[in-house]
Amino acid sequence: MGTATVPAGRRRARAPLAGPGRPPLRPGRSPSARREARWAYVFLAPWIVGFLAFQAGPMIASAWLSLTEYDVINEPRFTGLDNYRQLVADPQVARSLGNTVYYTALHVPLVMVISLGLALLLNRVGRFQGFFRTVFYLPVMTPAVAVGILFLLLLNTQDGLINRGLALVGVDGPSWTTDPDWMLPGIVLMSLWSLGSTVIIYLAALQNVPRDLYEAASIDGAGAGARFRSVTLPMISGALFFTLIVNTIASLQMFTEVYTMYFGNRETQNRFNSDAATFYVIHLFQEAFQFLHMGFASAMAWLLFVIILLITLLQVKLSNRFVYYEGDHR
């Protein structure tokens, strides 16, 4: 039989196969992939609902309230940007923000340096490393209110354990809880109680540094200091960057321990000069729940959000220069 031919005008165009210069094939998702995606959304649903109900919703409400005068009792009255103008003019806002920035500038570097030193020591411990990890982390589990009460006793000028220890070595301890010049350093000293989580993060990072890098550096004649600068710091820079951001955000939102120490009851407030210990979030809390200036407090909250956002973006920008990621060839 002869081969049948199709007239040229009636031939159907055939789609080109995938290849160079041709569009890639787009196979449909398999039933198992679609089923996995559905289950992924099911498991994500509680978080999504919680985020919308307890985070996104209150943030939108707070943004609206920051443009109003609202005292919880009466209906909000729109005032435009008056609350934000008052933020700039209020000296108490500037004072509390200055205290918070000063605390953050002392707390974050001190915690990172001490934690790194302790992690380096723990990394050299062999058999009892698990025990010491637990010992360093246990203080993190202490309730913040208990920490505030504990350090109010430890920092007591007359009977505090810290000043008693300084007296044993011939040092006259300062008035940690009454002298405005020493109140913030005392709060920084208190904050070192919970550095155990940072120590554990650094210890995990140190244990992931490849041993052969140290061996290669030693063969090249690098001493302990050179190995620390050229091997250890670059290889744990990701952990350093993470703790820098986390500790900075936590410091800018410092509240519970300081409020317990200096603002927990009226007798304590009258006994201490609380202005030196007024942090930004404490002042925000007072405006919102003591004076019922909810609109002004909402504006304060948004100012803090913008400050944290800008500082975090700056830190992320600087991390491109100083943070090393394995496999990054930049």
Side-chain angles (χ1 to χ4, degrees), residues 320 323-330:
N320 295 331
V323 178
Y324 167 78
Y325 297 100
E326 191 172 356
D328 191 352
H329 301 291
R330 290 179 298 174

Side-chain angles (χ1 to χ4, degrees), residues 38-330:
R38 285 196 298 268
W39 277 110
Y41 287 120
V42 169
F43 286 113
L44 285 172
W47 180 89
I48 294 173
V49 172
F51 173 78
L52 294 176
F54 300 108
Q55 287 185 309
M59 287 181 68
I60 295 172
S62 175
W64 160 248
L65 290 177
S66 70
L67 303 175
T68 67
E69 181 180 338
Y70 180 48
D71 60 1
V72 180
I73 301 173
N74 301 304
E75 290 292 325
R77 182 172 62 86
F78 182 77
T79 57
L81 298 177
D82 286 354
N83 289 324
Y84 292 95
R85 297 190 189 98
Q86 186 179 347
L87 279 178
V88 179
D90 191 347
Q92 188 67 12
V93 171
R95 186 183 300 113
S96 62
L97 186 58
N99 290 341
T100 304
V101 172
Y102 177 66
Y103 165 79
T104 302
L106 287 178
H107 167 78
V108 175
L110 196 59
V111 165
M112 293 180 67
V113 170
I114 295 177
S115 297
L116 181 57
L118 293 173
L120 288 169
L121 292 175
L122 280 178
N123 198 36
R124 293 179 174 271
V125 177
R127 179 182 302 177
F128 298 103
Q129 189 180 102
F131 169 76
F132 285 110
R133 284 204 308 264
T134 304
V135 168
F136 279 111
Y137 190 76
L138 276 178
V140 181
M141 308 300 293
T142 309
V145 174
V147 173
I149 296 173
L150 172 65
F151 273 86
L152 186 60
L153 299 175
L154 292 177
L155 296 173
N156 185 278
T157 305
Q158 286 80 25
D159 302 323
L161 187 61
I162 293 177
N163 278 2
R164 284 187 177 184
L166 292 174
L168 293 177
V169 295
V171 177
D172 188 14
S175 301
W176 299 100
T177 56
T178 56
D179 188 348
D181 295 331
W182 282 98
M183 289 175 72
L184 280 175
I187 294 172
V188 172
L189 184 63
M190 175 194 64
S191 70
L192 300 179
W193 175 263
S194 58
L195 56 73
S197 57
T198 306
V199 174
I200 299 303
I201 292 173
Y202 289 164
L203 179 60
L206 288 170
Q207 291 178 341
N208 284 328
V209 178
R211 299 292 100 187
D212 53 356
L213 294 180
Y214 290 117
E215 295 172 0
S218 298
I219 293 173
D220 290 340
R227 291 197 300 271
F228 178 75
R229 292 190 305 270
S230 303
V231 178
T232 304
L233 284 181
M235 294 302 295
I236 68 170
S237 58
L240 293 172
F241 171 61
F242 171 75
T243 56
L244 173 64
I245 289 183
V246 171
N247 285 323
T248 301
I249 294 174
S251 300
L252 292 172
Q253 299 180 87
M254 182 66 165
F255 174 76
T256 307
E257 294 91 336
V258 180
Y259 190 85
T260 302
M261 291 178 67
Y262 296 104
F263 303 90
N265 57 65
R266 192 174 299 277
E267 179 183 350
T268 303
Q269 283 185 263
N270 294 334
R271 187 152 40 104
F272 301 127
N273 180 9
S274 57
D275 282 346
T278 301
F279 282 31
Y280 189 85
V281 177
I282 291 176
H283 183 46
L284 189 157
F285 175 85
Q286 291 173 331
E287 291 287 345
F289 299 105
Q290 290 185 9
F291 310 131
L292 297 182
H293 298 158
M294 285 293 180
F296 183 69
S298 297
M300 289 184 64
W302 275 97
L303 176 60
L304 181 61
F305 172 78
V306 171
I307 291 173
I308 292 176
L309 178 63
L310 292 177
I311 292 176
T312 304
L313 290 177
L314 178 62
Q315 291 172 334
V316 171
K317 185 67 175 178
L318 293 176
S319 73
N320 295 331
R321 291 187 177 183
F322 301 107
V323 178
Y324 167 78
Y325 297 100
E326 191 172 356
D328 191 352
H329 301 291
R330 290 179 298 174

